[in-house]
């Protein structure tokens, strides 16, 4: 007989299923069957989840995992999918894993070892919620203060129930069928309640516990319960449902307690009841009370239910907050409000003092003081690239406002280097300082070329003008698959950011459609061109000469600008990326040094500083030069890769070369592109330094060969830019 039947319901997101199946294959399991229940997947689904692409993934793992597939054409709930798997299962034990989750390093093997040693009815391990892809899960574990639950003095039953209810987790969920080996013999007559859409695990697991005679568990057996990183395109069941999660949770607590009360085994009853009560107490202290304090309407609607559920909490075994819990049980809302406010305030002060965190103190002042102060209708805050530069579209909007309106407005520039020269007399404020939060809280307008920090709360009267910072080539926001660097929560931050924008600037229809999709943005788009590109149409020869002079560039040489982007998987930390120069500067200097000079401009995310001391007079690092538009003006040729700079540079109708040495990886693994880079870009794709040199030497031929592509590209992406974008945008936003 098969030893384990693994049951996997699956309904969306191929990238999740690959992680799931890969983690199972890495367990190197023998004598298993893997039952995949395809839930409502057909040829009519999108390309990410249609039946053909899913079958391709399954076939990759079919032999190693002994996969059996059962398909349902119509979408079914997880309860019905698991029941369908149970009807097929032939193993001595059954193991449930969801198609968007994965196991961490031997997590299932350890459970199997315990099962073979003990022949227990129920063997479980710990589940950990994560947003991370499988390859980065270990990094998240390293950041946890208490990485796993430890057994200490608990009995087999007690520790098993602690793992089952996730004792130390703030999650509202109590029971889960995931990451447990369950003897199939004891669940012959037990099935998931198909009428229960959201919490079908609860009644199922109560029955499993009631039927089980002996319980075992294993420490350090981790199961990654993956949280969806895109609530728009791939929402979880509770994300996509318009439900009152608190109401459903509380109702399930009540039902669960009723089922536990029916147990004949007093020991099981007491242990399980204690575990559930611990969970309710944790939920109240860590989640419920915070929402209770911040949302008056929610507080009034849900206090009665919370008070009712708290009745079973044993006040005698509660170590802290006894008066607060007593007030809750006595339905004394006024007293509960007082205790919650006092407890949370003390916790905030303690956190600040323990961490000696000035940032936390400043943010607390911002939330509780600055955000209650009067907003000045004539104050404008501007920021570009996290305050590192005075540049991009906010710069040109500011200069136009200064010329047209003078001192009618009060201007505040968020700039980290206060020595930065900015015309007029704006206030200069360092990002994340106390003044930064004060001015943002009390300014009518925010003008930014990126995302505003999620720690900022836009007030209803405020106006955000987002200029964004480029025409997209590589996928961004919700259109990216897996996130390789930073937090996968970034996608949901994108969505929440975009909800607060009043206006979004776009240079063409293509960009408008992509930004709407990538940010789930439904606000007003100003499709007027980019203000930062106005200078490309309006700059005089005198301006160009002045820029060259400021950079100490020779008059007798042509200029090549090399402006590559960053790689998602090559980083030091969040927002700090490595840079490996793949162009051979020795060969370039040898072949082109008499006629050309090269300027190298890395992305502002790049943490590395270039050492070009060996190439003085030929190569110059201009990565910290504020305004890349000024570098376009003085450059005769642009070399880039997947950066959006070429969309702007194309306004000048000068030659562009694409040094795409890692094209296959970038296109198919890291990001992917919105356009067909092989056919639609206005220049050749080059893979070696020798090819770059050859094309520069024959640049006139490149221009001639790509004339038709360049003309079509310009018409599609550059035809709105004409030097007047700033005026049109300012007139629309400010003359109202």
């Amino acid at each position: 007989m098969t030893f384990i039947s693994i049951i996997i319901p699956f309904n969306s997101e191929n990238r999740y299923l690959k992680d799931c199946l890969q983690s199972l294959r890495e367990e190197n399991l023998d004598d298993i069957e893997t039952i995949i229940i395809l839930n409502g997947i057909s040829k009519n689904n999108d390309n990410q989840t249609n039946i053909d692409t899913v079958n391709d993934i399954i076939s990759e793992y079919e032999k190693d995992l002994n996969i059996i597939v059962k398909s349902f054409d119509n979408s079914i709930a997880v309860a019905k999918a698991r029941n369908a798997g149970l009807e097929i299962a032939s193993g001595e034990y059954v193991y449930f894993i969801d198609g968007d989750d994965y196991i961490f390093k031997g997590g299932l093997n350890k459970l199997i070892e315990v099962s073979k040693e003990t022949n227990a009815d129920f063997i479980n391990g710990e589940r950990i919620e994560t947003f991370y892809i499988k390859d980065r899960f270990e990094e998240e574990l390293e950041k946890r203060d208490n990485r796993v639950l430890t057994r200490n003095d608990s009995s087999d039953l007690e520790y098993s129930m602690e793992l089952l209810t996730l004792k130390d987790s703030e999650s509202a969920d109590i029971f889960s069928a995931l990451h447990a080996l369950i003897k199939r013999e004891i669940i012959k007559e037990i099935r998931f309640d198909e009428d229960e859409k959201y919490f079908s695990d609860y009644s199922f697991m109560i029955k499993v516990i009631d039927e089980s005679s002996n319980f075992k568990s294993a420490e350090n057996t981790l199961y990654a319960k993956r949280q969806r990183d895109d609530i728009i395109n791939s929402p979880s069941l509770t994300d996509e449902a318009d439900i009152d999660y608190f109401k459903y949770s509380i109702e399930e607590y009540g039902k669960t307690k009723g089922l536990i009360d029916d147990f004949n085994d007093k020991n099981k009853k007491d242990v399980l009841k204690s575990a559930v009560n611990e969970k309710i107490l944790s939920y109240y202290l860590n989640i419920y009370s915070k929402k209770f304090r911040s949302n008056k309407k929610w507080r009034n609607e849900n206090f009665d239910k919370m008070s009712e559920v708290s009745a079973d909490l044993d006040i005698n075994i509660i170590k802290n907050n006894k008066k607060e819990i007593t007030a809750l049980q006595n339905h004394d809302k006024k007293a509960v409000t007082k205790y919650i406010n006092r407890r949370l305030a003390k916790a905030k002060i303690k956190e600040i003092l323990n961490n000696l965190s000035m940032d936390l103190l400043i943010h607390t002042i911002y939330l509780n003081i600055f955000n209650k102060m009067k907003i000045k209708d004539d104050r404008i805050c501007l920021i570009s690239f996290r305050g590192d530069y005075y540049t991009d579209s906010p710069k040109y909007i500011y200069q136009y406002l200064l010329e047209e309106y003078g001192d009618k407005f009060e201007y505040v520039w968020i700039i980290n280097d206060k020595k930065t020269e900015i015309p007029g007399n704006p206030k200069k404020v360092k990002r994340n300082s106390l003044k930064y939060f004060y001015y943002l809280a009390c300014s009518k307008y925010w003008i930014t070329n990126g995302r505003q920090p999620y720690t900022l709360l836009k007030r209803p009267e405020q106006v955000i003008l987002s200029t964004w910072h480029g025409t997209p080539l590589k996928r961004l926001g919700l259109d990216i698959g897996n996130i390789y660097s930073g937090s996968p929560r970034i996608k949901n931050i994108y969505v929440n950011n975009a909800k607060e924008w009043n206006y979004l600037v776009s240079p063409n229809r293509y960009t408008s459609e992509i930004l709407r999709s990538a940010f789930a943005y439904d606000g007003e788009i100003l499709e007027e061109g980019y203000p930062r590109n106005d200078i490309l149409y309006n700059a005089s020869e005198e301006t160009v000469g002045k820029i060259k002079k400021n950079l100490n560039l020779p008059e007798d040489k042509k200029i090549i600008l090399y402006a590559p982007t960053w790689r998602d998987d090559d980083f030091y930390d969040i927002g700090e990326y490595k840079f490996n120069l793949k162009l051979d500067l020795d060969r370039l200097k040898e072949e082109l040094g008499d006629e050309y000079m090269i300027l190298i401009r890395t992305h502002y995310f790049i943490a590395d500083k270039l050492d070009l001391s060996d190439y003085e007079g030929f190569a110059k690092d201009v990565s910290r030069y504020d305004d890349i538009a000024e570098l376009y003006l003085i450059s005769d040729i642009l070399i880039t890769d997947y950066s959006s700079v070429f969309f702007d540079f194309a306004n000048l109708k000068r030659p562009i070369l694409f040094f795409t040495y890692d094209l296959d990886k970038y296109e198919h693994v890291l990001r992917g592109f919105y356009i067909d880079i092989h056919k639609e870009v206005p220049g050749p794709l080059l893979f070696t330094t020798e090819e770059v040199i050859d094309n520069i030497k024959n640049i006139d031929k490149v221009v001639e060969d790509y004339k038709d592509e360049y003309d079509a590209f310009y018409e599609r992406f550059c035809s709105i830019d004409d030097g007047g974008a700033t005026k049109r945008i300012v007139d629309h936003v400010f003359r109202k």
Side-chain angles (χ1 to χ4, degrees):
M1 184 174 71
T2 301
F3 190 65
I4 298 178
S5 297
I6 300 170
I7 298 175
I8 309 175
F10 175 73
N11 65 344
S12 68
E13 283 297 328
N14 292 355
R15 58 197 173 98
Y16 293 163
L17 182 61
K18 282 184 73 72
D19 269 1
C20 175
L21 296 180
Q22 181 63 25
S23 74
L24 287 171
R25 179 158 69 183
E26 289 173 3
E27 296 290 296
N28 293 315
L29 302 171
D30 295 321
D31 201 14
I32 65 166
E33 62 183 11
T34 305
I35 302 166
I36 300 178
I37 308 298
L38 299 182
N39 179 357
I41 298 173
S42 66
K43 285 186 177 292
N44 296 325
N45 288 88
D46 63 70
N47 290 331
Q48 290 300 307
T49 53
N50 71 45
I51 193 67
D52 294 331
T53 56
V54 172
N55 283 337
D56 287 343
I57 293 172
I58 290 173
S59 64
E60 182 182 343
Y61 298 93
E62 191 168 16
K63 183 178 179 182
D64 293 333
L65 299 179
N66 188 24
I67 292 177
I68 302 166
V69 177
K70 182 174 178 61
S71 298
F72 288 86
D73 291 335
N74 298 318
S75 183
I76 59 173
V78 67
K80 185 172 182 178
R82 287 175 177 166
N83 286 342
L86 286 172
E87 296 301 321
I88 298 170
S90 64
E92 183 178 344
Y93 284 93
V94 172
Y95 179 85
F96 296 102
I97 178 172
D98 283 345
D100 45 5
D101 299 341
Y102 53 87
I103 304 160
F104 178 66
K105 285 187 178 177
L108 182 50
N109 261 311
K110 290 177 184 176
L111 296 185
I112 292 171
E113 288 173 16
V114 173
S115 71
K116 290 183 176 179
E117 289 170 3
T118 65
N119 197 34
D121 293 335
F122 183 86
I123 308 103
N124 64 337
E126 184 177 0
R127 308 181 311 279
I128 295 179
E129 293 183 347
T130 181
F131 283 87
Y132 281 91
I133 60 175
K134 177 178 170 292
D135 290 344
R136 290 201 59 208
F137 182 52
E138 188 171 3
E139 293 177 38
E140 181 168 278
L141 288 180
E142 294 295 334
K143 296 174 183 177
R144 287 166 59 99
D145 294 329
N146 300 306
R147 299 204 305 171
V148 293
L149 285 169
T150 52
R151 180 165 183 150
N152 298 322
D153 297 327
S154 302
S155 67
D156 286 341
L157 177 60
E158 287 170 338
Y159 185 53
S160 186
M161 294 305 101
E162 287 174 7
L163 290 173
L164 181 63
T165 58
L166 292 180
K167 177 183 175 183
D168 291 340
S169 168
E170 293 182 0
S171 167
D173 293 342
I174 313 175
F175 299 127
S176 172
L178 302 171
H179 200 39
L181 290 178
I182 306 170
K183 269 227 175 131
R184 190 167 63 89
E185 182 179 324
I186 71 169
I187 56 172
K188 284 183 177 178
E189 306 302 321
I190 302 175
R191 291 296 181 267
F192 292 89
D193 184 352
E194 295 181 10
D195 293 328
E196 187 66 77
K197 187 174 183 181
Y198 303 111
F199 297 98
S200 60
D201 287 34
Y202 288 13
S203 59
F204 178 83
M205 290 308 299
I206 289 288
K207 293 171 186 173
V208 168
I209 294 164
D210 195 21
E211 291 292 327
S212 298
S213 299
N214 46 15
F215 299 81
K216 293 290 179 181
S217 47
E219 292 183 287
N220 296 302
T221 58
L222 302 181
Y223 174 105
K225 179 59 187 166
R226 185 160 175 170
Q227 305 300 294
R228 294 300 180 98
D229 61 13
D230 182 349
I231 60 175
I232 301 298
N233 298 312
S234 58
S236 66
L237 185 63
T238 50
D239 286 330
E240 68 185 10
D242 183 19
I243 67 167
D244 184 336
Y245 195 78
F246 171 82
K247 176 186 173 185
Y248 272 84
S249 297
I250 290 298
E251 287 179 357
E252 289 302 321
Y253 282 148
K255 290 180 188 176
T256 300
K257 284 188 172 186
L259 290 170
I260 295 171
D261 284 338
D262 291 338
F263 275 23
N264 293 319
D265 187 319
K266 186 177 184 306
N267 187 35
K268 279 186 194 175
K269 183 188 294 187
D270 291 344
V271 169
L272 199 50
K273 208 163 192 178
S274 174
V276 172
N277 282 337
E278 285 258 13
K279 193 71 176 179
I280 291 171
L281 181 62
S282 174
Y283 173 75
Y284 167 77
L285 292 172
N286 297 302
I287 299 178
Y288 174 87
S289 57
K290 292 175 183 177
K291 196 163 184 178
F292 177 93
R293 183 179 66 167
S294 63
N295 190 323
K296 183 178 180 180
K297 182 176 182 291
W298 191 87
R299 173 166 69 236
N300 292 333
E301 288 176 352
N302 295 299
F303 181 73
D304 291 347
K305 279 285 186 183
M306 192 71 240
S307 178
E308 181 183 326
V309 168
S310 72
D312 284 348
L313 298 177
D314 186 348
I315 202 69
N316 295 313
I317 64 172
I318 294 174
K319 296 178 181 178
N320 301 307
N321 309 299
K322 287 190 176 185
K323 289 182 179 180
E324 183 178 337
I325 302 304
T326 300
L328 179 65
Q329 291 175 327
N330 291 337
H331 202 72
D332 187 343
K333 188 189 293 185
K334 185 176 180 181
V336 168
T337 303
K338 179 184 73 174
Y339 287 124
I340 284 177
N341 288 337
R342 183 185 298 170
R343 173 168 56 83
L344 295 180
K346 283 182 178 179
K348 179 65 72 175
I349 293 169
K350 185 177 179 181
E351 184 181 3
I352 293 170
L353 293 176
N354 285 348
N355 298 322
L356 295 176
S357 173
M358 183 57 68
D359 290 342
L360 187 57
L361 177 60
I362 288 172
H363 195 254
T364 302
I365 293 170
Y366 161 70
L367 290 175
N368 295 285
I369 298 176
F370 294 162
N371 260 352
K372 294 179 171 62
M373 298 173 74
K374 184 179 179 181
I375 290 173
K376 288 195 67 174
D377 288 340
D378 62 349
R379 181 180 287 155
I380 303 172
C381 279
L382 306 102
I383 185 171
S384 281
F385 299 119
R386 304 183 296 190
D388 290 333
Y389 303 98
Y390 168 62
T391 189
D392 212 68
S393 292
K395 166 185 172 179
Y396 291 98
I397 291 173
Y398 166 71
Q399 290 180 350
Y400 184 84
L401 285 167
L402 199 61
E403 292 169 6
E404 290 295 309
Y405 295 97
D407 60 3
K408 178 180 177 181
F409 292 105
E410 176 189 354
Y411 303 103
V412 181
W413 261 99
I414 311 303
I415 194 82
N416 296 326
D417 182 359
K418 290 189 178 181
K419 294 179 182 177
T420 302
E421 291 186 13
I422 301 177
N425 190 31
K427 289 183 173 67
K428 297 178 185 178
V429 175
K430 191 172 181 179
R431 184 171 174 262
N432 290 332
S433 65
L434 187 63
K435 286 184 177 180
Y436 165 83
F437 285 103
Y438 164 72
Y439 282 112
L440 283 169
C442 302
S443 297
K444 174 73 172 180
Y445 299 97
W446 301 355
I447 300 176
T448 175
N449 74 337
R451 292 178 291 106
Q452 67 275 20
Y454 68 90
T455 53
L456 294 175
L457 299 177
K458 178 198 169 191
R459 297 161 74 179
E461 314 95 292
Q462 293 180 310
V463 174
I464 299 181
L465 169 60
S466 173
T467 67
W468 202 238
H469 51 266
T471 298
L473 168 67
K474 51 185 182 285
R475 295 190 178 275
L476 65 134
L478 300 180
D479 297 335
I480 303 173
N482 287 328
I483 301 291
Y484 285 85
S485 63
S487 169
R489 300 183 191 196
I490 191 66
K491 292 186 181 181
N492 296 336
I493 291 172
Y494 270 124
V495 173
N496 292 329
N497 267 198
K499 286 178 182 176
E500 296 188 330
W501 297 341
N502 297 86
Y503 305 100
L504 176 60
V505 173
S506 168
N508 46 59
R509 178 56 51 88
Y510 160 91
T511 301
S512 300
E513 292 172 353
I514 287 173
L515 295 185
R516 279 207 186 281
S517 166
F519 304 143
Y521 177 69
D522 60 1
E524 184 173 356
I525 289 184
L526 305 181
E527 197 174 289
E528 301 287 358
Y530 274 144
R532 70 183 188 183
N533 288 339
D534 285 352
I535 190 176
L536 304 181
Y537 291 89
N538 299 330
S540 64
E541 289 186 15
E542 181 183 356
T543 299
V544 175
K546 186 177 179 181
I547 297 167
K548 279 191 172 183
K549 185 177 180 181
N550 289 341
L551 284 167
N552 294 317
L553 299 180
E555 292 289 334
D556 60 340
K557 287 189 178 181
K558 296 176 184 176
I559 303 298
I560 299 167
L561 176 62
Y562 178 42
T565 192
W566 46 282
R567 270 65 181 163
D568 299 65
D569 64 338
D570 201 7
F571 58 94
Y572 295 109
D573 201 350
I574 295 173
E576 292 187 354
Y577 292 82
K578 298 178 182 179
F579 178 66
N580 295 308
L581 182 62
K582 297 295 185 179
L583 277 177
D584 184 340
L585 290 183
D586 291 312
R587 289 287 297 126
L588 285 167
K589 183 178 180 181
E590 180 184 343
E591 295 289 336
L592 306 171
D594 292 339
E595 186 178 358
Y596 288 96
M597 182 173 182
I598 186 167
L599 306 180
I600 302 177
R601 165 81 173 212
T602 59
H603 193 278
Y604 71 99
F605 278 176
I606 298 296
D608 298 315
K609 291 185 179 180
L610 301 179
D611 180 7
L612 300 178
S613 54
D614 292 341
Y615 304 97
E616 189 172 349
F618 174 69
K620 187 180 183 72
D621 181 9
V622 291
S623 301
R624 298 296 173 261
Y625 191 84
D626 271 5
D627 197 339
I628 195 171
E630 294 183 357
L631 299 179
Y632 298 152
L633 283 171
I634 63 172
S635 299
D636 299 281
I637 299 171
L638 171 70
I639 303 175
T640 187
D641 44 19
Y642 322 113
S643 170
S644 65
V645 295
F646 70 91
F647 288 99
D648 297 318
F649 189 83
N651 283 281
L652 296 168
K653 297 186 177 180
R654 297 174 189 171
I656 304 171
L657 306 177
F658 295 85
F659 182 44
T660 52
Y661 57 87
D662 56 353
L663 177 59
D664 189 64
K665 181 180 181 183
Y666 208 98
E667 183 175 17
H668 297 112
V669 178
L670 293 181
R671 280 290 188 105
F673 306 117
Y674 287 112
I675 65 175
D676 187 342
I677 194 171
H678 302 275
K679 297 178 181 178
E680 297 184 72
V681 295
L685 304 182
L686 311 173
F687 302 94
T688 67
T689 297
E690 293 302 323
E691 287 181 329
V692 171
I693 292 169
D694 182 63
N695 276 265
I696 292 173
K697 285 184 173 181
N698 296 282
I699 198 65
D700 291 339
K701 185 175 187 305
V702 172
V703 170
E704 182 62 31
D705 289 347
Y706 282 87
K707 183 180 184 305
D708 291 343
E709 288 91 339
Y710 211 132
D711 289 344
F713 185 89
Y714 183 93
E715 179 61 30
R716 183 180 180 192
F717 298 108
C718 305
S719 57
I720 292 178
D721 275 313
D722 58 4
T726 306
K727 181 181 187 304
R728 291 190 292 269
I729 290 164
V730 169
D731 285 352
H732 186 86
V733 175
F734 291 93
R735 286 199 173 158
K736 283 186 177 181

